[in-house]
Amino acid sequence: MAVPLHLGVNDVPSVKEIFGFGFQQAMLCMSGLLVYPFLISNCACAGAAAVQLRVQLISATFVSCGIATILQTTFGLRLSVLHGPAMAFLPPLLAYKTQNHCPYTDHDNVPPEFWMGRMREIQGSLLLACLVFIFVGMIGIAGHLSNLIGPITIVPLMLLLTTSIVPTIEEKLSLHWISLVMLLVVVLMAVYLENTRVPIFYYSTEKKQIVTTRIRLFGQFPYLLSMLLVWFICFVMTITDLEPYNGAARTDNNVTMMVLRESPWLQIPLPLPFGMPKISAGIFFGYVASVFASIIENIGSYDLLARTSQQKPPPRDAINRAIAVEGVGSLIAAVSGVSSGVTTYAENIALIHITKVASRTTMQFAGFVLILLGLFSKFAAILASIPDALVGGILTMGISMIGGVALSNLQMIDLKLCRNLSIMGLSLLLGMIVPLHFEKHPVDTGHFEIDNVLNMLLNIKMLVGGMVATFLDNTVPGATRAQRGFRDHLRGVSSESDVSTSTSSESIEVLSSSDAYTFPETIQRLLRAVPLLQSLPILPKLTKSQYKSNRV
């Protein structure tokens, strides 16, 4: 039997629990929300203006991800989902950076029209790709894809995503030896000290005395604590001049201090901050590939989250609705200037597994916290002053979590079948060989735009590997859907039934108390009142008994 949840999806915690668990979820995703603005500012080639650009991107990222989180938990999947920048959108950006060499250094004064032009091109291409995201969800393609995409596809795709970011990680880790210190501290806190309980003293108003409690401080806030510790080490190195002037680990960079002083206390991220967007065919198609890779990744995350929340697998309408809302959240991020779509954060699913708190109310509060932090632009300026060298250690641990989540899907697959092993192995290998070949021997048709698009797509490892895995898994015979990792036997379980079944390594229990995907009664009444809404792929199909209920 699975360990019972402390708070189920539909449970409303006390105010104290909402603040505690919600704030914890917001803090856990902070490192992921920080890394992407640093990477984008490098792709923009903004030179000395990079720190100012980071402040703008950090604010926009926090606000847009907070809004996307609230939309997804309320109207989309309705499980306890937290959204952040999707790493699936990073490979096209890295390919764009490779094809558009930056002629400036980090200390040069780059003309604003140069780097803003690049940001407009990235933003416009993402905006158009997000419309594809919404379209796939609204017309029901995502639900059909969920029948084709299982763990055998998800495992190689997510592993290829991690390998495609390895060069960027290596580049960041090579900036300064403090990057390795950052990585070691994160590993120490997140792995070695994860279950260490630290005594915390506080004054109890009930007992009228100072009492102590023990909490898993390092396991709950590993990224935040490690970042603060290494940041302090960099500060000490700066004031003692152990780090030379303009060194990668200094905290008193002149541009950073100027931005920190001049940033307003409160600022609302405005739409289209870089001007009228432009579209580049190469990065647009690269982003479209990222959209489908993100959809595959999210379908796997939804099923993992459902298992963690002790719910049945998401029905087709919930998947369609969730992907459509992901598209809306990504569109909000694109309009705000964030050069990435949004995705479900695996780290927060892992935290739900640890805390046994799956309440959507706590995640909605986490989204509200992210919005407040984003509006407080002084906070964004402080975060933007983090030495670039620290990003390498955080990024390494974050990407390793994605790889770990990918491997966790193996428990659903029958690994005794040679068919399953061959498909995953071949997908991984071709996903690395094909991009490597076209990196050395680019496509040359004589038409610049066609060459640009093909070279962009063929250099994205997760796209190549994901397509190979999807095709082979759905055409090679020799395995049932259960052996391929699908949980079809639970997808149609009603909310009145209680089902418990075993996989190769765990017991999956579906709670009988509630159906997390069901809308509140007010919306259910609207669905009963307007039968035409039943034709929309994003809305649940009501049974005859549900139609008859509450008809007075």
Side-chain angles (χ1 to χ4, degrees):
M1 293 292 291
V3 178
L5 294 173
H6 174 61
L7 290 168
V9 178
N10 292 328
D11 294 339
V12 179
S14 65
V15 175
K16 183 173 69 173
E17 288 179 315
I18 290 175
F19 273 81
F21 291 120
F23 186 77
Q24 178 175 258
Q25 288 283 9
M27 290 300 101
L28 180 64
C29 74
M30 181 139 342
S31 60
L33 269 63
L34 279 179
V35 167
Y36 217 97
F38 275 77
L39 300 177
I40 299 300
S41 61
N42 291 339
C43 292
C45 188
V51 177
Q52 185 177 358
L53 176 60
R54 284 173 193 165
V55 175
Q56 188 173 348
L57 291 174
I58 289 172
S59 290
T61 300
F62 274 65
V63 172
S64 57
C65 290
I67 294 173
T69 296
I70 294 174
L71 289 177
Q72 188 67 271
T73 52
T74 307
F75 305 107
L77 187 65
R78 290 183 54 76
L79 294 182
S80 196
V81 174
L82 194 140
H83 278 323
M87 286 298 171
F89 288 81
L90 188 57
L93 270 175
L94 298 178
Y96 176 83
K97 181 183 177 183
T98 302
Q99 294 180 5
N100 297 269
H101 177 69
C102 179
Y104 300 98
T105 68
D106 293 340
H107 304 290
D108 292 337
N109 290 317
V110 181
E113 58 270 15
F114 177 82
W115 63 266
M116 282 192 176
R118 294 175 72 139
M119 290 301 296
R120 285 196 295 270
E121 203 168 50
I122 294 171
Q123 185 181 39
S125 303
L126 178 60
L127 276 170
L128 197 57
C130 288
L131 297 180
V132 177
F133 217 149
I134 298 173
F135 179 78
V136 168
M138 290 295 292
I139 69 171
I141 295 178
H144 291 291
L145 284 176
S146 67
N147 289 328
L148 302 176
I149 297 168
I152 291 178
T153 299
I154 293 167
V155 170
L157 183 140
M158 294 181 72
L159 289 178
L160 287 168
L161 171 60
T162 63
T163 60
S164 65
I165 304 175
V166 167
T168 303
I169 295 175
E170 189 276 333
E171 177 186 341
K172 293 297 181 184
L173 289 175
S174 301
L175 286 175
H176 196 278
W177 57 264
I178 199 70
S179 299
L180 297 177
V181 175
M182 182 76 219
L183 176 58
L184 291 175
V185 173
V186 172
V187 172
L188 177 66
M189 291 190 180
V191 181
Y192 285 95
L193 301 178
E194 178 188 4
N195 295 312
T196 302
R197 295 189 174 272
V198 179
I200 302 294
F201 299 91
Y202 67 97
Y203 181 78
S204 173
T205 54
E206 296 179 359
K207 298 182 178 179
K208 305 296 183 183
Q209 63 180 9
I210 295 177
V211 296
T212 181
T213 183
R214 291 182 175 272
I215 63 173
R216 294 175 52 257
L217 189 63
F218 302 116
Q220 293 175 348
F221 305 104
Y223 296 102
L224 185 62
L225 291 175
S226 56
M227 185 187 299
L228 290 175
L229 176 59
V230 182
W231 199 357
F232 177 72
I233 294 174
C234 291
F235 173 73
V236 173
M237 292 168 57
T238 300
I239 61 176
T240 57
D241 285 330
L242 290 175
E243 179 67 11
Y245 181 73
N246 275 339
R250 286 191 75 93
T251 59
D252 65 345
N253 184 288
N254 290 334
V255 176
T256 302
M257 294 297 104
M258 181 189 68
V259 171
L260 187 57
R261 286 193 303 269
E262 295 180 359
S263 295
W265 284 99
L266 293 173
Q267 187 174 14
I268 299 175
L270 298 176
L272 305 180
F274 309 110
M276 188 57 63
K278 298 187 297 184
I279 296 174
S280 168
I283 194 170
F284 164 68
F285 283 105
Y287 271 144
V288 170
S290 295
V291 164
F292 282 97
S294 182
I295 289 172
I296 294 173
E297 177 189 346
N298 280 310
I299 288 174
S301 296
Y302 297 158
D303 189 71
L304 177 62
L305 179 58
R307 282 187 279 139
T308 304
S309 305
Q310 297 181 11
Q311 293 289 326
K312 66 182 181 182
R316 188 175 295 181
D317 62 273
I319 292 176
N320 290 330
R321 193 167 59 249
I323 294 299
V325 173
E326 295 256 5
V328 173
S330 298
L331 190 66
I332 293 172
V335 170
S336 303
V338 182
S339 301
S340 165
V342 298
T343 189
T344 303
Y345 261 30
E347 294 94 328
N348 295 88
I349 299 178
L351 185 59
I352 292 173
H353 179 73
I354 294 169
T355 62
K356 302 301 178 186
V357 175
S359 170
R360 73 167 65 90
T361 307
T362 61
M363 206 62 83
Q364 289 166 340
F365 179 76
F368 178 70
V369 170
L370 293 180
I371 294 174
L372 288 182
L373 293 177
L375 295 177
F376 184 49
S377 51
K378 273 296 188 203
F379 175 75
I382 293 172
L383 294 177
S385 68
I386 296 173
D388 203 24
L390 269 61
V391 175
I394 302 172
L395 185 61
T396 303
M397 195 64 192
I399 296 301
S400 68
M401 177 65 76
I402 294 177
V405 171
L407 294 174
S408 73
N409 284 277
L410 291 173
Q411 64 185 323
M412 308 297 294
I413 305 169
D414 188 345
L415 298 178
K416 296 188 292 293
L417 291 181
C418 181
R419 172 221 186 253
N420 294 346
L421 297 176
S422 299
I423 291 174
M424 289 188 291
L426 189 60
S427 303
L428 273 173
L429 201 59
L430 289 179
M432 290 185 281
I433 292 174
V434 173
L436 180 62
H437 171 78
F438 285 101
E439 183 181 336
K440 294 180 178 179
H441 310 284
V443 175
D444 186 8
T445 63
H447 192 286
F448 176 76
E449 282 298 328
I450 294 177
D451 292 346
N452 192 27
V453 170
L454 290 177
N455 287 320
M456 177 79 75
L457 295 177
L458 291 172
N459 274 275
I460 300 176
K461 295 179 180 179
M462 61 183 184
L463 172 64
V464 177
M467 289 180 63
V468 172
T470 303
F471 176 78
L472 293 178
D473 190 32
N474 287 280
T475 56
V476 176
T480 64
R481 287 180 63 84
Q483 290 173 321
R484 291 163 55 197
F486 289 92
R487 293 200 296 156
D488 293 337
H489 59 293
L490 291 181
R491 192 173 295 280
V493 175
S494 64
S495 58
E496 286 88 17
S497 60
D498 187 8
V499 177
S500 180
T501 187
S502 297
T503 63
S504 57
S505 62
E506 69 170 354
S507 178
I508 299 173
E509 182 175 343
V510 178
L511 294 180
S512 60
S513 57
S514 61
D515 181 3
Y517 311 106
T518 304
F519 284 110
E521 183 57 30
T522 305
I523 299 180
Q524 291 289 93
R525 290 186 182 216
L526 177 63
L527 294 177
R528 288 191 286 267
V530 187
L532 184 63
L533 295 176
Q534 294 292 291
S535 61
L536 296 178
I538 61 172
L539 293 178
K541 305 296 182 286
L542 301 181
T543 63
K544 290 183 179 180
S545 61
Q546 289 173 315
Y547 267 120
K548 293 177 182 178
S549 64
N550 283 347
R551 281 195 170 185
V552 181

